[in-house]
Amino acid sequence: MPLLRQSSAARLHRRKPMIHASDADVHAGKGKAAAQDNVEMETLHVVQEVASPQQEVDTEQATVVHTGVEDAKAEGKIEADGGPHPLRAKAAPQEVHAEPVKAVVDDGDADATQAAGTTRPEEKLHNGKTEVAQDNFVRKHDLQEFESIQSHGGLGLSLTDKGLLLNVLGHFSAYLPSALCVLGAVWGGAWTWLTFVVGWVVVPIADLILGADSYNLTEEEEKKFAESVWFRVVTWFHFPIQVATVTFGAYWVATHDLTWAEWLGVTFSIGTAEGFGIGCVHELIHRPGTVDFVSGVLSLCWSNYGHFWIEHLWGHHRNVASPLDPASSDVGDNVWTFVPRCMWLSFVEAWGIEAKILKSRGKGALSVDNRILQAYAVTALVAGAYHQAFGLAALPFFFAQGFIAAWIVDNTNYIEHYGLRRKEVSPGVYERVGWLHAWDTPELLSNSLLFKIQRHPDHHTNAGRPYQVLRTYPQAPTLPTGYAGMIALSWFPPLFWYVMDWRVALVKEQEREFRATGTLLGNAYPFPDGAQAVYSFDTEADKLFIPADYVVRASSNQPAFDQYAAQKEGRRGVSQYGRNRSARAAALLALVLAVSAGAVGGLRVVDHAVQALPRPTLFDRLGGLEGIRPLVSSIYAKHTADPLTAAWFEGKNHPVVEEHVVEFFAAGTGGDVTYTGQSMLDVHRGMQISGEAFLAVQDHVLTSLAEHGYGQSVKDEVLGILFSLRLEILPDLKPLVSAAAAANKAAEVTVGDL
């Protein structure tokens, strides 16, 4: 499978983004005139927002319209079923007809100019249909280059065609990362990083080995899958498993003595597990069922990202693949700056959306009905509960794992639409969302783990389709591997750009071909009809962002172009992933064995290295003398107040005795402090300390440690030191003798007397 371009004409990463002239004009704010000079204009029904006297037109909000290129016919005609698509209308939209404009086709390349003979064909509006005349479109890239990015290699295993039961069971694999988090934490050392390594190293390699599951359901299979409740049931496990995993992590870091490397390992592993959960959460927030939706929103609260669902449903889905969307990356964007920007702007966008929804219902943005405020109130309650249960040490972990999970969410956004842009048909007005505006990847393993979120073009074109019936087509923009591998690759921006930028250029050429000829890669338009870019549980809110006449009902779930028949006929322009399967299988098996052996050996080396790291002393973990003094003061106060121990301190110089205890405690826990008092044996000889009194001393120590917020590992270590001193503290205590031992001793005495 070619991750890198195989043609000698491969373009390396450009330091500046390769943006369409129209996109550049939008970013530069050059206005309507500049945009019209650079954008291909079609004869469209364009909606303009008209404000009533009581309403203000929101000029910063965009309007999306149908491009008039939905259902291409072999003879070059394209259905124009579009109609208006106002995104953020503040008043009822009115239709106006835009005048046809002829302009140069620009795919972002310097040589794609009018001089090359690539111009927009004539268009005429006739009976609601746009007639597109054939022009002299020239293909700049060989079809083999398109075939190379469609082929995912690997074993080409499939699961979608194996029946309902196996498909349901396959998605339970999504919960393995959480189980690995627990195992890694318990094993300790380098194993605390187990889920992180599996997620970002093992899964990408396994994706390459197992290959693509490109099967699409038949009409009968789709009906059966869509009606099965079991595909919903498997998603209902996500939230309780997430709560259990995060709660376990909070308990573990708060009650165990971890090195900084182990703490980071537990945190990054659990954050990775919750980040992988975005596939399930994404599905839940799109479903209309109450159990599904509430589970998804609560899950986001545990990841400290409670506003995400609002921005995703009504912001990202309407503005996707345009400069209006903070979650759609452009060519040349760096993930390390894109994700923080996306996090902030997504929150701002979500707040504006929620304010608009509340306003439509006669409520203010700061009312108690604001669901963003509600979500973060839940997050605060969860944090408070963890603090109450496990102490202050649990909070850094809780917020850190949430940040990692949120980062993965927006890192996923980064790769899902990288470089893809909808055509701007007029300033601030973009064509309808379609199959060429998101990256597809059909990898078997990661699609099972992520609930087929990777079949992303179908999801954005038809947001109402449940995950189990999403479709994948090689003619859609195709990533070289699954999301796990692409996210890890994006952490190395120059390499990511090298792998992806030329793929973006190929997709741009596909768009030019389609607009000019109505075909893709020389074949008929392959994708099924139907479209609904915005879909949620709240149909009334949906209407604020997408009108009913924008929804296009599908006539069939089957493609207009039979991909599998074309592949059997050996036609070019279709995926060749089925070739040389045996040879690839042998080579990939050797690879997985080598990688597995190296991974096991590497983990052992890392584990030994982690165990060899210097650990802070108990004195340091108690906070030094500044932490030990108030702790000893609390213990001493309990000694003098408890009837079992108070008599020992009558008539004593309390400040001197307490200072000696501080010195002894500090020296005994590893501090560089000199103890100036008497030996333990001399101090306690003749005090006649009973076993019951010794237990009371232990209770005073443990209770004081808990009051000062120390975890279980510190308690166990202090208790171990105290128990090791029992012979010096209890010199007068006679050991207990069993009845059998006493009888034997009596028998010995009797025999001796004889």
Side-chain angles (χ1 to χ4, degrees), residues 610-643:
V610 170
Q611 296 296 344
L613 290 174
R615 300 170 70 89
T617 64
L618 180 58
F619 175 79
D620 294 326
R621 282 177 281 127
L622 287 168
L625 285 174
E626 292 76 11
I628 289 176
R629 287 190 185 280
L631 175 63
V632 167
S633 179
S634 175
I635 295 172
Y636 194 81
K638 290 179 175 59
H639 286 346
T640 57
D642 191 330

Side-chain angles (χ1 to χ4, degrees), residues 663-712:
E663 293 175 355
F664 186 82
F665 209 109
T669 55
D672 186 17
V673 177
T674 302
Y675 173 57
T676 59
Q678 296 177 292
S679 71
M680 288 293 100
L681 189 60
D682 292 339
V683 168
H684 296 94
R685 193 186 303 277
M687 292 178 64
Q688 301 297 321
I689 299 176
S690 66
E692 185 180 8
F694 184 66
L695 292 176
V697 169
Q698 295 181 58
D699 183 65
H700 299 162
V701 172
L702 293 176
T703 303
S704 297
L705 286 168
E707 291 172 352
H708 285 76
Y710 295 106
Q712 189 61 45

